[in-house]
Amino acid sequence: MSTATATAARAPAPPTAPFGTVFARRMAITWHRGGSWGPSELRDTGPIPMHPGAHVLHYSSACFEGLKAFRHPDGKARVFRLDRHVARMCQSARLLCLPPPDPAQLEAMVLDVVRECRDEIPAFPGALYLRPTLIGTEVNIGAAGTPPSEVCLYVLASPVGDYFGAGLQPVRVAVEDEHPRTTADFGMAKAGANYASALRHVMQARAEHEAATVLFCPGGDVQETGASNFMLLDDQRLVTKPLSGAFLHGVTRDSVLRLAAHLGYTVEERDFTVDEMLDWCGRGEAALSGTAAVLAGVGTLIHHGREVQVGGGQVGPNTRRLREALTAIQSGEAEDPFGWLREV
């Protein structure tokens, strides 16, 4: 048995615990104090001492990222689209008036954690989910109108299995055409406050319709769900809303769009309405994109209490095709023509 084969054979099985509840043994951390970032360090994953008056606990001065490192058949680890995630985190920090991380330092912290936890990366479809997080740690409960002068940046790692567990299943999605997910021009920040503002609508949809999530369409304008970008597909086209400040600029969204064009689909980034979306359901597919779920097929849309099946209520062939093409690149089973993978 070759060294690469032996290394790959020792890959741990993906965890069966819920996604994001198991943590790797090591993390990276640094602080911004006195106007500059200090050196980062690796330490055992565990609590960070924090004063109860820390800025983040009172004024939500926090943003984060979510990306994955995969174990390939040659036994090596590779991080998917690290540069795009680092750039988006810097953008989120600026929107929150937090000092943006130094991109080179943040990249190094992520790579250090992956190297340190390489033997904890599960076999595909498992991965090492990486969570860079930026929080305001200044002790000041009177700073509602002032950004924190002290900030902590850390990178957690979580060995995860397939998000769907029992296999790719169609998702039930409730359509909310009155309320937005969050405020205009802040939706593009990957901030906990945006997820919190959507949560009550998601919980109501689960209780009333057994929906997994909510698609926010204020004024009939189709935007995104509580945690994913949204797209329509058929055998020739992929349609999705153009980027704006109102919703998250998904890295998986961008990957799917580029891959779809590469495979011959016509990609249309344009506005579309709830009425057009519901009309599409009879002949096409709908899908949600995100780092955790990759590409999830929508089987049912619930609009004003009426259930509308999408593509016969199952995960459609175009959704499956694009998902399989993307995961083949991530897993190392297919060539990476876009240069998306960073070897560690």
Side-chain angles (χ1 to χ4, degrees), residues 22 26 33 56 82 94 115 121 129 185 303:
V22 176
R26 301 281 276 173
R33 297 183 175 114
V56 64
L82 175 58
R94 286 189 287 268
R115 289 189 194 97
I121 303 176
Y129 183 77
D185 296 328
H303 181 238

Side-chain angles (χ1 to χ4, degrees), residues 33-53:
R33 297 183 175 114
S36 63
W37 287 102
S40 62
E41 62 172 306
L42 288 164
R43 62 167 63 172
D44 290 344
T45 300
I48 302 171
M50 188 180 300
H51 192 281

Side-chain angles (χ1 to χ4, degrees), residues 29 78 146 205 226 258 306 318:
I29 191 167
R78 290 171 175 85
T146 307
R258 292 181 62 183
R306 180 173 70 96
N318 295 290

Side-chain angles (χ1 to χ4, degrees), residues 20-28 45 67 69 110 113-114 116-117 120-121 127-132 154-160:
T21 61
V22 176
F23 292 93
R25 67 184 186 279
R26 301 281 276 173
M27 62 184 282
T45 300
L67 64 158
V110 171
V113 169
V114 175
E116 191 80 359
C117 304
E120 298 180 65
I121 303 176
L128 191 67
Y129 183 77
L130 299 153
R131 175 53 66 88
Y154 60 91
V155 179
L156 283 173
S158 175
V160 297

Side-chain angles (χ1 to χ4, degrees), residues 159-183:
V160 297
D162 187 344
Y163 188 78
F164 295 101
L168 191 59
Q169 299 293 325
V171 179
R172 289 173 57 84
V173 177
V175 177
E176 170 55 62
D177 57 10
E178 181 179 353
H179 300 285
R181 173 179 179 252
T182 184
T183 58

Side-chain angles (χ1 to χ4, degrees), residues 298-319:
V298 177
T300 305
L301 290 169
I302 304 130
H303 181 238
H304 293 173
R306 180 173 70 96
E307 296 196 6
V308 180
Q309 282 199 340
V310 185
Q314 300 301 314
V315 179
N318 295 290
T319 300

